[in-house]
Amino acid sequence: MKVDLKKILLPLAGAAAFMAAGAVQAVTYEGTTTLVGPGGSPSATCTLTLNGDVDSGVITVYSGDVTDNSLCDAIQLSNFDWTGTLSNTSGAGTTSLSTPGASVPGFLNCSGTVTGISYGAVNRHGNPPSFVISGTENFGDCTINGELNLQ
């Protein structure tokens, strides 16, 4: 029996390409950030890691972690999924993240929309190579500044 591989492989290749074009790519951003509580205290400079995806300019953060020292390790991130929208999907722009929370129980509570987030041109997958967070009281009563880089 003669099998025509072209008739089998071409539809499979087309289906794979179609599925890949619509697939959402998981991303991780990591970098050094400084979180400052209301009134300037406490202040913690930590490594922040955020995991999520960027799909057609919509950012969704599913999880994250804060590390580096005992104060950083005590910070708990909450209220996932955090969401935002890129202002420009083909070049530099700005965004904000809605609903994040960061706390050290009984000591620090930050919540609200994080503003002051900018990025350079996006890569071919639609992901910014980095996000720069800057401002004062740009996270409710708290302040967060730093840079997160695509891993």
Side-chain angles (χ1 to χ4, degrees):
M1 178 167 113
K2 184 176 178 183
V3 176
D4 188 350
L5 290 178
K6 286 183 188 176
K7 288 183 179 178
I8 296 171
L9 294 178
L10 286 176
L12 287 175
F18 178 76
M19 290 173 60
V24 175
Q25 182 182 12
V27 293
T28 297
Y29 286 88
E30 182 176 281
T32 301
T33 58
T34 300
L35 178 66
V36 181
S41 181
S43 176
T45 299
C46 310
T47 298
L48 174 62
T49 304
L50 298 177
N51 305 298
D53 62 55
V54 181
D55 182 23
S56 300
V58 176
I59 303 164
T60 306
V61 178
Y62 300 113
S63 65
D65 194 27
V66 183
T67 57
D68 272 347
N69 58 53
S70 58
L71 180 56
C72 297
D73 294 343
I75 296 173
Q76 298 175 359
L77 302 178
S78 60
N79 300 333
F80 293 105
D81 295 344
W82 305 347
T83 58
T85 302
L86 301 177
S87 65
N88 185 352
T89 58
S90 61
T94 61
T95 190
S96 59
L97 281 177
S98 295
T99 73
S103 63
V104 176
F107 186 59
L108 171 69
N109 188 22
C110 302
S111 63
T113 299
V114 175
T115 60
I117 304 172
S118 61
Y119 57 91
V122 297
N123 65 21
R124 65 184 178 90
H125 300 292
N127 302 318
S130 65
F131 288 100
V132 175
I133 309 166
S134 61
T136 302
E137 294 186 356
N138 60 346
F139 183 17
D141 292 338
C142 299
T143 297
I144 184 166
N145 290 298
E147 183 172 354
L148 302 176
N149 296 299
L150 181 62
Q151 299 301 295

